[in-house]
Amino acid sequence: MNPRNLAALLSSLIAQLLLLITVVFPSSNPLCITNSSLSHFLTPLLLHFLSVSETAATLSRKRKRIHFSEFDAPEGEGLTRFKLGRPDSFIRRNPDCFKKFFNINSSTFDWLCGLLEPLLECRDPVDSPLNLAAETRLGIGLFRLATGANFSDVSRRFTVSESVAKFCFKQLCRVLCTNFRFWVGFLNSGELESVSNRFESISGIPNCCGVLCCVRFKVNEESIAAQLVVDSSSRIISIIAGFRGDKTDFQVLNSSTLFEDIEKGTIFTNSQGLEINGVSVPQFLVGNGDYPLLNWLMLPFDDPISQSNEEKFNNAINVMRLPSVIAVQSLRNWGVLREPIEGEIKTVVASIGACSILHNMSLSRDDYSAFCDDLNEYSPDKRKSCSNPGETKTVACSIRSALVTKVTKATEFQ
């Protein structure tokens, strides 16, 4: 078997394995992977298959070199036409062009092309296969995601029909969300411990495993909600999209598999917790005032007295929430999510998932092309927290009070 066919076969095996996971461990949302023990067992296996597939794909590539040209783009317009992978192709590979049109740098583009080539080239329509190189297919999909350009513009720039442009865009989203969704899977216990250590180093608050937030994207005349959990490096470790935008953040959380998994103890397996002043502090997330205070969800205090210990705790919470703000703004930096999205809900959900996966992939390569240069929209949270049952709130308040003590001591030490 030649290397190209081997790469396609291995990539197909990954897809079948993920499909089996979906059947055995069903989820209400195709973008939700939150089973910690499952992740702990499967992540090395998946990465092994992925590594072998990528290596085979790289060895099998016979891509035509893409030449650089300073005169390809008319002055003042930037690149107006892309012909990636064709003998007569010319493209300026400078950082500004790739950041502007693809939201990644040229190195990440090549890496992605090698990673996705077997899958992008083996799923053409049966009766009308496309005679397009993997670079062109990837370029079309990324251009649509990065710029939000309509398909007539994508068609003109890549000299393909609109139907082909739509196919390549949907194909890229489908491949990413089906074969590479483990890039946004919840972390195993060892990884969560590492995340909590990093959060403690920047805030003084121990045992925090992520930041919970809910973001909404406009779809035609309505909106769609996506729930994210973000770690201390702005990596998205959980994404569940497809909820109606008129639901509150807590309604979204309450109807998500994340809520169910945490309540059942499927995700946070550190049942013993960390003892602070006689209080057992479990692994937890931090959120804003749109959520209720829960045993595993810590919120800032409402209207703390100036320079009080509660205000110090709020400041620490705001520092911890900053990575989630960076992640959300990075997602909005993908043009397809910045403006009202047209299309079916499943296509919109696929776009959100694809951008989230690309966000994590770029982050793993230290490629910050899609990241915002500033955080103008960020401000400390001042919203009132939601109410919740008294018994649960009593325990949650005890946990938060213990954490206040911890932060106070850390602040005094500094």
Side-chain angles (χ1 to χ4, degrees), residues 38-107:
L38 178 65
S39 171
H40 180 68
F41 172 76
L42 287 176
T43 296
L45 179 61
L46 286 170
L47 293 179
H48 171 71
F49 273 117
L50 180 59
S51 176
V52 174
S53 175
E54 179 181 356
T55 301
T58 303
L59 292 175
S60 68
R61 293 174 63 81
K62 296 181 180 179
R63 294 161 48 196
K64 301 178 178 65
R65 292 290 181 183
I66 299 176
H67 304 285
F68 308 158
S69 171
E70 293 296 329
F71 52 80
D72 181 63
E75 184 177 357
E77 289 189 24
L79 293 174
T80 58
R81 184 173 295 249
F82 299 87
K83 300 180 182 178
L84 299 176
R86 299 181 181 179
D88 59 344
S89 65
F90 289 92
I91 181 173
R92 288 190 303 174
R93 283 209 170 200
N94 65 61
D96 291 338
C97 286
F98 268 74
K99 179 177 180 178
K100 178 179 180 181
F101 295 113
F102 300 130
N103 260 4
I104 57 177
N105 60 35
S106 59
S107 173

Side-chain angles (χ1 to χ4, degrees), residues 242-255:
F243 300 96
R244 292 201 321 269
D246 59 354
K247 284 190 171 186
T248 66
D249 289 2
F250 182 54
Q251 286 175 329
V252 170
L253 172 63
N254 199 37
S255 57

Side-chain angles (χ1 to χ4, degrees), residues 58 79 81 94 106-107 147 169 182 200 228-229 262 270 281 285-286 298 306 322 345 361 372 383 393:
T58 303
L79 293 174
R81 184 173 295 249
N94 65 61
S106 59
S107 173
T147 66
F169 165 69
F182 56 86
E200 184 174 9
L228 284 71
V229 177
I262 295 178
N270 183 9
V281 178
L285 304 176
V286 297
M298 294 291 103
S306 177
L322 187 57
I345 293 297
M361 286 179 163
C372 293
R383 287 168 287 187
K393 188 171 183 179

Side-chain angles (χ1 to χ4, degrees), residues 28 32 212-214 216 225-229 240 243-244 247-264 285 290-294 296-297 386-389 392:
S28 62
C32 174
L212 177 68
C213 62
C214 193
R216 288 161 180 80
Q227 177 180 277
L228 284 71
V229 177
I240 309 175
F243 300 96
R244 292 201 321 269
K247 284 190 171 186
T248 66
D249 289 2
F250 182 54
Q251 286 175 329
V252 170
L253 172 63
N254 199 37
S255 57
S256 70
T257 54
L258 177 70
F259 183 89
E260 181 180 356
D261 287 341
I262 295 178
E263 287 289 315
K264 288 182 178 179
L285 304 176
D290 286 341
Y291 294 106
L293 184 67
L294 301 172
W296 50 266
L297 181 58
C386 301
S387 60
N388 56 320
T392 303

